[in-house]
């Protein structure tokens, strides 16, 4: 979906900025922002990559279209499950949000207009950021502890939301979910509950846009339905878009079928959602 995306002429990139240190480990992010930033502080969009929490990179071009539209954007690194088990991943994501607020003046950004999005495992972490703002046990010690980790808008593309109900072969020891929590799901019930975005849903959560393929064989569509229902029950603004004929990653399923809305339309919907909630 992103291979043909190149850096727009009006966007500049700053690579490998260290935003946190955990022990001897440095965590990095890539910035994409307008070459000529506006006089007013910019709204922010944070992208969190997927890869089953065990692979993936912060070096992708996912944020380029948003930077071209006037957003300050970052694509963040987090410790993978091959390096550290949960809650290390959300600790790192929250450290990135706090880093943004600590550096708001330096980068001319609006600390009250931070949106986050991700896909698959990144969608899970984005949703968890949205529902667990300032939950002490998920903050970690990645720096800038005096700043809030709350976000103002969330886009979740086909992320797990209630790991205990995902089913399938996800309880196998080598599955991404078991690697995330460091053991069989039924033996890590407390950690599984802690990792579920649905655990922390409260009425003060930010608006959510959830987009998921109806024929997703990796993360069932029902996972997004669970989060959507929980958010709406709590009175949170939430929209769920069911993508017809789409598998994980919005790939056609069945093969050759027409995916509706298209990938281009999905990206447009994501842009419109952030514009609505971050460019007030």
């Amino acid at each position: 979906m992103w291979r043909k995306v190149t850096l727009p002429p009006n966007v500049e990139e700053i690579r490998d900025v260290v935003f946190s240190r955990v022990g001897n480990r440095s965590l990095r992010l890539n910035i994409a922002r307008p070459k000529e930033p506006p006089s007013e502080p910019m709204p922010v969009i944070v992208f969190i990559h997927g890869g089953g929490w065990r692979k993936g990179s912060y070096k992708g071009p996912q944020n380029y279209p948003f930077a071209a539209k006037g957003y300050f954007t970052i694509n963040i690194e987090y410790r993978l499950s091959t390096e550290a088990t949960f809650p290390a991943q959300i600790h790192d994501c929250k450290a990135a949000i706090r880093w943004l607020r600590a550096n708001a003046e330096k980068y001319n950004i609006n600390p009250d207009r931070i949106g986050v999005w991700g896909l698959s495992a990144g969608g899970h972490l984005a949703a968890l950021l949205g529902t667990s703002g300032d939950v002490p046990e998920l903050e970690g010690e990645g720096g800038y502890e005096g700043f809030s980790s709350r976000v103002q808008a969330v886009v979740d593309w086909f992320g797990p939301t209630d790991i205990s109900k995902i089913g399938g072969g996800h309880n196998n020891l080598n599955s991404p979910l078991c690697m995330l929590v460091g053991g069989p799901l039924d033996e890590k019930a407390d950690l599984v509950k802690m990792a579920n975005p649905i655990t922390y849903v409260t009425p003060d959560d930010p608006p959510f846009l959830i987009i998921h393929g109806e024929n997703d064989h990796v993360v069932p569509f029902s996972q997004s339905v669970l989060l959507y229902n929980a958010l709406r029950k709590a009175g949170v603004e939430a929209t769920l878009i069911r993508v017809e004929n789409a598998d994980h990653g919005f790939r056609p399923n069945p093969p050759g079928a027409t995916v509706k809305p298209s990938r281009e339309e999905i990206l447009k919907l994501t842009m419109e959602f952030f514009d609505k909630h971050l460019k007030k």
Side-chain angles (χ1 to χ4, degrees):
M1 183 173 186
W2 309 107
R3 291 176 183 173
K4 297 181 181 179
V5 178
T6 58
L7 190 68
N10 65 333
V11 172
E12 66 177 358
E13 192 171 30
I14 305 173
R15 299 183 179 181
D16 298 319
V17 177
V18 175
F19 71 89
S20 179
R21 288 184 173 86
V22 184
N24 295 324
R25 174 75 153 89
S26 293
L27 294 168
R28 303 176 187 274
L29 57 81
N30 281 356
I31 295 169
R33 65 181 181 182
K35 281 184 178 178
E36 297 182 7
S39 57
E40 294 295 318
M42 290 174 285
V44 181
I45 292 178
V46 180
F47 178 74
I48 307 174
H49 70 79
W53 306 278
R54 59 184 176 182
K55 59 183 180 179
S57 171
Y58 66 97
K59 298 181 179 182
Q62 291 86 353
N63 279 332
Y64 292 175
F66 300 95
K69 296 294 186 179
Y71 286 94
F72 180 94
T73 74
I74 62 173
N75 192 330
I76 65 173
E77 180 182 26
Y78 57 89
R79 283 171 288 171
L80 303 177
S81 61
T82 52
E83 178 181 355
T85 55
F86 190 86
Q89 294 72 28
I90 192 63
H91 285 174
D92 299 343
C93 293
K94 284 178 173 284
I97 304 301
R98 298 195 304 267
W99 176 89
L100 282 166
R101 290 200 164 96
N103 288 277
E105 185 174 350
K106 174 181 178 181
Y107 289 108
N108 189 34
I109 59 179
N110 189 335
D112 299 320
R113 293 286 183 267
I114 299 175
V116 59
W117 73 298
L119 51 87
S120 195
H124 160 261
L125 292 169
L128 190 54
L129 277 173
T131 62
S132 69
D134 301 326
V135 171
E137 60 267 31
L138 295 183
E139 288 296 320
E141 298 178 350
Y144 308 102
E145 280 76 10
F147 294 86
S148 172
S149 66
R150 286 186 176 272
V151 297
Q152 283 67 57
V154 177
V155 176
D156 166 17
W157 286 10
F158 48 87
T161 67
D162 188 342
I163 294 171
S164 64
K165 296 180 180 178
I166 201 166
H170 291 284
N171 203 39
N172 297 332
L173 283 177
N174 291 326
S175 74
L177 287 174
C178 287
M179 291 181 64
L180 177 68
V181 297
L185 302 185
D186 54 0
E187 294 180 10
K188 299 286 185 177
D190 290 343
L191 205 56
V192 166
K193 183 178 181 181
M194 183 184 292
N196 286 337
I198 207 166
T199 298
Y200 307 97
V201 172
T202 52
D204 62 347
D205 290 342
F208 270 70
L209 172 63
I210 307 166
I211 308 179
H212 205 135
E214 64 180 1
N215 296 330
D216 193 326
H217 77 287
V218 177
V219 179
F221 178 75
S222 59
Q223 286 284 297
S224 285
V225 174
L226 288 169
L227 178 60
Y228 171 75
N229 288 341
L231 291 166
R232 291 299 299 268
K233 184 177 180 180
V236 178
E237 180 182 338
T239 301
L240 173 59
I241 296 176
R242 183 187 192 110
V243 185
E244 297 178 16
N245 302 318
D247 203 335
H248 203 63
F250 304 135
R251 294 185 296 271
N253 183 9
T258 300
V259 173
K260 298 181 181 180
S262 69
R263 294 184 177 189
E264 292 75 18
E265 290 168 334
I266 289 168
L267 188 60
K268 183 173 182 287
L269 289 166
T270 300
M271 180 80 75
E272 290 172 346
F273 174 82
F274 281 134
D275 285 350
K276 175 183 177 181
H277 293 289
L278 300 180
K279 287 190 172 181
K280 296 179 180 178

PDB file of all heavy atoms in Angstrom, residues 135-160:
ATOM      1  N   VAL A 135      -2.992   6.238  32.440  1.00  0.00           N
ATOM      2  CA  VAL A 135      -3.119   5.075  33.326  1.00  0.00           C
ATOM      3  C   VAL A 135      -1.729   4.753  33.868  1.00  0.00           C
ATOM      4  O   VAL A 135      -0.827   4.405  33.099  1.00  0.00           O
ATOM      5  CB  VAL A 135      -3.708   3.863  32.572  1.00  0.00           C
ATOM      6  CG1 VAL A 135      -3.639   2.607  33.430  1.00  0.00           C
ATOM      7  CG2 VAL A 135      -5.148   4.142  32.153  1.00  0.00           C
ATOM      8  N   PRO A 136      -1.507   4.866  35.169  1.00  0.00           N
ATOM      9  CA  PRO A 136      -0.143   4.820  35.728  1.00  0.00           C
ATOM     10  C   PRO A 136       0.651   3.575  35.352  1.00  0.00           C
ATOM     11  O   PRO A 136       1.828   3.678  34.996  1.00  0.00           O
ATOM     12  CB  PRO A 136      -0.383   4.900  37.245  1.00  0.00           C
ATOM     13  CG  PRO A 136      -1.685   5.600  37.390  1.00  0.00           C
ATOM     14  CD  PRO A 136      -2.508   5.139  36.222  1.00  0.00           C
ATOM     15  N   GLU A 137       0.021   2.397  35.397  1.00  0.00           N
ATOM     16  CA  GLU A 137       0.780   1.168  35.171  1.00  0.00           C
ATOM     17  C   GLU A 137       1.223   0.985  33.728  1.00  0.00           C
ATOM     18  O   GLU A 137       2.029   0.094  33.436  1.00  0.00           O
ATOM     19  CB  GLU A 137      -0.035  -0.060  35.619  1.00  0.00           C
ATOM     20  CG  GLU A 137      -1.357  -0.249  34.916  1.00  0.00           C
ATOM     21  CD  GLU A 137      -2.521   0.385  35.663  1.00  0.00           C
ATOM     22  OE1 GLU A 137      -2.306   1.406  36.342  1.00  0.00           O
ATOM     23  OE2 GLU A 137      -3.636  -0.154  35.555  1.00  0.00           O
ATOM     24  N   LEU A 138       0.727   1.820  32.827  1.00  0.00           N
ATOM     25  CA  LEU A 138       1.117   1.710  31.428  1.00  0.00           C
ATOM     26  C   LEU A 138       2.041   2.843  30.981  1.00  0.00           C
ATOM     27  O   LEU A 138       2.439   2.897  29.826  1.00  0.00           O
ATOM     28  CB  LEU A 138      -0.125   1.685  30.530  1.00  0.00           C
ATOM     29  CG  LEU A 138      -1.052   0.477  30.696  1.00  0.00           C
ATOM     30  CD1 LEU A 138      -2.197   0.550  29.696  1.00  0.00           C
ATOM     31  CD2 LEU A 138      -0.297  -0.833  30.541  1.00  0.00           C
ATOM     32  N   GLU A 139       2.403   3.741  31.885  1.00  0.00           N
ATOM     33  CA  GLU A 139       3.215   4.894  31.509  1.00  0.00           C
ATOM     34  C   GLU A 139       4.681   4.529  31.277  1.00  0.00           C
ATOM     35  O   GLU A 139       5.321   5.054  30.377  1.00  0.00           O
ATOM     36  CB  GLU A 139       3.119   5.985  32.577  1.00  0.00           C
ATOM     37  CG  GLU A 139       1.787   6.703  32.600  1.00  0.00           C
ATOM     38  CD  GLU A 139       1.513   7.477  31.318  1.00  0.00           C
ATOM     39  OE1 GLU A 139       2.444   8.109  30.770  1.00  0.00           O
ATOM     40  OE2 GLU A 139       0.354   7.438  30.857  1.00  0.00           O
ATOM     41  N   GLY A 140       5.240   3.659  32.089  1.00  0.00           N
ATOM     42  CA  GLY A 140       6.642   3.307  31.946  1.00  0.00           C
ATOM     43  C   GLY A 140       7.564   4.400  32.445  1.00  0.00           C
ATOM     44  O   GLY A 140       7.128   5.394  33.049  1.00  0.00           O
ATOM     45  N   GLU A 141       8.853   4.227  32.165  1.00  0.00           N
ATOM     46  CA  GLU A 141       9.867   5.173  32.631  1.00  0.00           C
ATOM     47  C   GLU A 141      10.746   5.614  31.466  1.00  0.00           C
ATOM     48  O   GLU A 141      11.970   5.656  31.557  1.00  0.00           O
ATOM     49  CB  GLU A 141      10.708   4.536  33.743  1.00  0.00           C
ATOM     50  CG  GLU A 141       9.891   4.166  34.973  1.00  0.00           C
ATOM     51  CD  GLU A 141      10.716   3.498  36.057  1.00  0.00           C
ATOM     52  OE1 GLU A 141      11.884   3.146  35.783  1.00  0.00           O
ATOM     53  OE2 GLU A 141      10.189   3.320  37.166  1.00  0.00           O
ATOM     54  N   GLY A 142      10.114   5.965  30.366  1.00  0.00           N
ATOM     55  CA  GLY A 142      10.852   6.322  29.165  1.00  0.00           C
ATOM     56  C   GLY A 142      11.222   7.780  29.065  1.00  0.00           C
ATOM     57  O   GLY A 142      11.745   8.220  28.044  1.00  0.00           O
ATOM     58  N   GLY A 143      10.967   8.547  30.127  1.00  0.00           N
ATOM     59  CA  GLY A 143      11.324   9.957  30.119  1.00  0.00           C
ATOM     60  C   GLY A 143      10.126  10.878  30.034  1.00  0.00           C
ATOM     61  O   GLY A 143       9.024  10.453  29.683  1.00  0.00           O
ATOM     62  N   TYR A 144      10.338  12.131  30.399  1.00  0.00           N
ATOM     63  CA  TYR A 144       9.322  13.182  30.323  1.00  0.00           C
ATOM     64  C   TYR A 144       8.064  12.835  31.124  1.00  0.00           C
ATOM     65  O   TYR A 144       6.932  13.098  30.699  1.00  0.00           O
ATOM     66  CB  TYR A 144       8.956  13.464  28.857  1.00  0.00           C
ATOM     67  CG  TYR A 144      10.157  13.729  28.001  1.00  0.00           C
ATOM     68  CD1 TYR A 144      10.666  12.732  27.158  1.00  0.00           C
ATOM     69  CD2 TYR A 144      10.828  14.948  28.054  1.00  0.00           C
ATOM     70  CE1 TYR A 144      11.794  12.956  26.388  1.00  0.00           C
ATOM     71  CE2 TYR A 144      11.958  15.179  27.288  1.00  0.00           C
ATOM     72  CZ  TYR A 144      12.435  14.180  26.456  1.00  0.00           C
ATOM     73  OH  TYR A 144      13.557  14.405  25.692  1.00  0.00           O
ATOM     74  N   GLU A 145       8.291  12.267  32.301  1.00  0.00           N
ATOM     75  CA  GLU A 145       7.175  11.786  33.106  1.00  0.00           C
ATOM     76  C   GLU A 145       6.236  12.893  33.584  1.00  0.00           C
ATOM     77  O   GLU A 145       5.108  12.619  34.001  1.00  0.00           O
ATOM     78  CB  GLU A 145       7.690  10.991  34.312  1.00  0.00           C
ATOM     79  CG  GLU A 145       8.099   9.551  34.014  1.00  0.00           C
ATOM     80  CD  GLU A 145       9.446   9.431  33.314  1.00  0.00           C
ATOM     81  OE1 GLU A 145      10.161  10.459  33.216  1.00  0.00           O
ATOM     82  OE2 GLU A 145       9.783   8.321  32.856  1.00  0.00           O
ATOM     83  N   GLY A 146       6.662  14.137  33.524  1.00  0.00           N
ATOM     84  CA  GLY A 146       5.794  15.228  33.943  1.00  0.00           C
ATOM     85  C   GLY A 146       4.764  15.633  32.901  1.00  0.00           C
ATOM     86  O   GLY A 146       3.937  16.513  33.166  1.00  0.00           O
ATOM     87  N   PHE A 147       4.775  14.985  31.737  1.00  0.00           N
ATOM     88  CA  PHE A 147       3.859  15.337  30.654  1.00  0.00           C
ATOM     89  C   PHE A 147       2.819  14.237  30.453  1.00  0.00           C
ATOM     90  O   PHE A 147       3.064  13.070  30.744  1.00  0.00           O
ATOM     91  CB  PHE A 147       4.634  15.580  29.360  1.00  0.00           C
ATOM     92  CG  PHE A 147       5.532  16.778  29.410  1.00  0.00           C
ATOM     93  CD1 PHE A 147       6.828  16.673  29.916  1.00  0.00           C
ATOM     94  CD2 PHE A 147       5.091  18.018  28.990  1.00  0.00           C
ATOM     95  CE1 PHE A 147       7.675  17.766  29.979  1.00  0.00           C
ATOM     96  CE2 PHE A 147       5.921  19.123  29.042  1.00  0.00           C
ATOM     97  CZ  PHE A 147       7.210  19.011  29.544  1.00  0.00           C
ATOM     98  N   SER A 148       1.676  14.634  29.913  1.00  0.00           N
ATOM     99  CA  SER A 148       0.574  13.700  29.696  1.00  0.00           C
ATOM    100  C   SER A 148       0.808  12.839  28.454  1.00  0.00           C
ATOM    101  O   SER A 148       1.417  13.284  27.477  1.00  0.00           O
ATOM    102  CB  SER A 148      -0.739  14.470  29.538  1.00  0.00           C
ATOM    103  OG  SER A 148      -1.793  13.615  29.143  1.00  0.00           O
ATOM    104  N   SER A 149       0.291  11.613  28.498  1.00  0.00           N
ATOM    105  CA  SER A 149       0.353  10.718  27.339  1.00  0.00           C
ATOM    106  C   SER A 149      -0.994  10.627  26.624  1.00  0.00           C
ATOM    107  O   SER A 149      -1.192   9.772  25.758  1.00  0.00           O
ATOM    108  CB  SER A 149       0.793   9.315  27.781  1.00  0.00           C
ATOM    109  OG  SER A 149      -0.194   8.733  28.619  1.00  0.00           O
ATOM    110  N   ARG A 150      -1.924  11.483  26.966  1.00  0.00           N
ATOM    111  CA  ARG A 150      -3.234  11.454  26.318  1.00  0.00           C
ATOM    112  C   ARG A 150      -3.141  11.918  24.867  1.00  0.00           C
ATOM    113  O   ARG A 150      -2.314  12.753  24.511  1.00  0.00           O
ATOM    114  CB  ARG A 150      -4.230  12.344  27.068  1.00  0.00           C
ATOM    115  CG  ARG A 150      -4.700  11.752  28.391  1.00  0.00           C
ATOM    116  CD  ARG A 150      -5.784  12.602  29.019  1.00  0.00           C
ATOM    117  NE  ARG A 150      -6.291  11.977  30.228  1.00  0.00           N
ATOM    118  CZ  ARG A 150      -7.291  11.101  30.258  1.00  0.00           C
ATOM    119  NH1 ARG A 150      -7.892  10.766  29.122  1.00  0.00           N
ATOM    120  NH2 ARG A 150      -7.691  10.586  31.396  1.00  0.00           N
ATOM    121  N   VAL A 151      -4.038  11.366  24.047  1.00  0.00           N
ATOM    122  CA  VAL A 151      -4.149  11.785  22.654  1.00  0.00           C
ATOM    123  C   VAL A 151      -5.573  12.267  22.396  1.00  0.00           C
ATOM    124  O   VAL A 151      -6.495  11.966  23.153  1.00  0.00           O
ATOM    125  CB  VAL A 151      -3.765  10.645  21.688  1.00  0.00           C
ATOM    126  CG1 VAL A 151      -2.313  10.243  21.880  1.00  0.00           C
ATOM    127  CG2 VAL A 151      -4.675   9.434  21.865  1.00  0.00           C
ATOM    128  N   GLN A 152      -5.740  13.015  21.300  1.00  0.00           N
ATOM    129  CA  GLN A 152      -7.031  13.661  21.042  1.00  0.00           C
ATOM    130  C   GLN A 152      -7.836  13.023  19.907  1.00  0.00           C
ATOM    131  O   GLN A 152      -8.984  13.398  19.681  1.00  0.00           O
ATOM    132  CB  GLN A 152      -6.807  15.146  20.738  1.00  0.00           C
ATOM    133  CG  GLN A 152      -6.533  16.004  21.957  1.00  0.00           C
ATOM    134  CD  GLN A 152      -5.218  15.693  22.639  1.00  0.00           C
ATOM    135  OE1 GLN A 152      -4.162  15.760  22.022  1.00  0.00           O
ATOM    136  NE2 GLN A 152      -5.267  15.343  23.914  1.00  0.00           N
ATOM    137  N   ALA A 153      -7.267  12.061  19.210  1.00  0.00           N
ATOM    138  CA  ALA A 153      -7.985  11.366  18.142  1.00  0.00           C
ATOM    139  C   ALA A 153      -7.248  10.072  17.828  1.00  0.00           C
ATOM    140  O   ALA A 153      -6.014  10.038  17.864  1.00  0.00           O
ATOM    141  CB  ALA A 153      -8.086  12.240  16.888  1.00  0.00           C
ATOM    142  N   VAL A 154      -8.008   9.025  17.514  1.00  0.00           N
ATOM    143  CA  VAL A 154      -7.418   7.706  17.260  1.00  0.00           C
ATOM    144  C   VAL A 154      -7.995   7.098  15.988  1.00  0.00           C
ATOM    145  O   VAL A 154      -9.217   7.081  15.796  1.00  0.00           O
ATOM    146  CB  VAL A 154      -7.686   6.738  18.439  1.00  0.00           C
ATOM    147  CG1 VAL A 154      -7.130   5.349  18.126  1.00  0.00           C
ATOM    148  CG2 VAL A 154      -7.114   7.274  19.735  1.00  0.00           C
ATOM    149  N   VAL A 155      -7.111   6.591  15.137  1.00  0.00           N
ATOM    150  CA  VAL A 155      -7.526   5.781  13.989  1.00  0.00           C
ATOM    151  C   VAL A 155      -6.904   4.402  14.150  1.00  0.00           C
ATOM    152  O   VAL A 155      -5.684   4.263  14.229  1.00  0.00           O
ATOM    153  CB  VAL A 155      -7.093   6.409  12.658  1.00  0.00           C
ATOM    154  CG1 VAL A 155      -7.457   5.484  11.497  1.00  0.00           C
ATOM    155  CG2 VAL A 155      -7.752   7.770  12.471  1.00  0.00           C
ATOM    156  N   ASP A 156      -7.757   3.400  14.197  1.00  0.00           N
ATOM    157  CA  ASP A 156      -7.335   2.011  14.388  1.00  0.00           C
ATOM    158  C   ASP A 156      -7.697   1.231  13.138  1.00  0.00           C
ATOM    159  O   ASP A 156      -8.873   1.024  12.845  1.00  0.00           O
ATOM    160  CB  ASP A 156      -8.055   1.442  15.625  1.00  0.00           C
ATOM    161  CG  ASP A 156      -7.968  -0.074  15.726  1.00  0.00           C
ATOM    162  OD1 ASP A 156      -7.114  -0.687  15.054  1.00  0.00           O
ATOM    163  OD2 ASP A 156      -8.773  -0.651  16.493  1.00  0.00           O
ATOM    164  N   TRP A 157      -6.665   0.799  12.402  1.00  0.00           N
ATOM    165  CA  TRP A 157      -6.874  -0.056  11.247  1.00  0.00           C
ATOM    166  C   TRP A 157      -6.641  -1.507  11.678  1.00  0.00           C
ATOM    167  O   TRP A 157      -5.536  -1.913  11.983  1.00  0.00           O
ATOM    168  CB  TRP A 157      -5.899   0.291  10.124  1.00  0.00           C
ATOM    169  CG  TRP A 157      -6.180   1.557   9.381  1.00  0.00           C
ATOM    170  CD1 TRP A 157      -7.079   2.536   9.688  1.00  0.00           C
ATOM    171  CD2 TRP A 157      -5.533   1.988   8.169  1.00  0.00           C
ATOM    172  NE1 TRP A 157      -7.021   3.546   8.761  1.00  0.00           N
ATOM    173  CE2 TRP A 157      -6.089   3.236   7.817  1.00  0.00           C
ATOM    174  CE3 TRP A 157      -4.529   1.437   7.371  1.00  0.00           C
ATOM    175  CZ2 TRP A 157      -5.672   3.938   6.683  1.00  0.00           C
ATOM    176  CZ3 TRP A 157      -4.113   2.139   6.250  1.00  0.00           C
ATOM    177  CH2 TRP A 157      -4.686   3.378   5.908  1.00  0.00           C
ATOM    178  N   PHE A 158      -7.717  -2.251  11.774  1.00  0.00           N
ATOM    179  CA  PHE A 158      -7.757  -3.704  12.012  1.00  0.00           C
ATOM    180  C   PHE A 158      -6.827  -4.182  13.123  1.00  0.00           C
ATOM    181  O   PHE A 158      -6.120  -5.172  12.991  1.00  0.00           O
ATOM    182  CB  PHE A 158      -7.521  -4.487  10.714  1.00  0.00           C
ATOM    183  CG  PHE A 158      -6.352  -4.065   9.853  1.00  0.00           C
ATOM    184  CD1 PHE A 158      -5.082  -4.580  10.063  1.00  0.00           C
ATOM    185  CD2 PHE A 158      -6.532  -3.167   8.808  1.00  0.00           C
ATOM    186  CE1 PHE A 158      -4.014  -4.222   9.261  1.00  0.00           C
ATOM    187  CE2 PHE A 158      -5.474  -2.801   7.996  1.00  0.00           C
ATOM    188  CZ  PHE A 158      -4.203  -3.335   8.223  1.00  0.00           C
ATOM    189  N   GLY A 159      -6.850  -3.496  14.258  1.00  0.00           N
ATOM    190  CA  GLY A 159      -6.042  -3.916  15.397  1.00  0.00           C
ATOM    191  C   GLY A 159      -6.801  -4.800  16.372  1.00  0.00           C
ATOM    192  O   GLY A 159      -8.018  -4.657  16.529  1.00  0.00           O
ATOM    193  N   PRO A 160      -6.123  -5.722  17.055  1.00  0.00           N
ATOM    194  CA  PRO A 160      -6.762  -6.488  18.132  1.00  0.00           C
ATOM    195  C   PRO A 160      -7.192  -5.564  19.267  1.00  0.00           C
ATOM    196  O   PRO A 160      -6.491  -4.605  19.594  1.00  0.00           O
ATOM    197  CB  PRO A 160      -5.652  -7.434  18.596  1.00  0.00           C
ATOM    198  CG  PRO A 160      -4.686  -7.508  17.458  1.00  0.00           C
ATOM    199  CD  PRO A 160      -4.737  -6.147  16.812  1.00  0.00           C
TER     200      PRO A 160
END
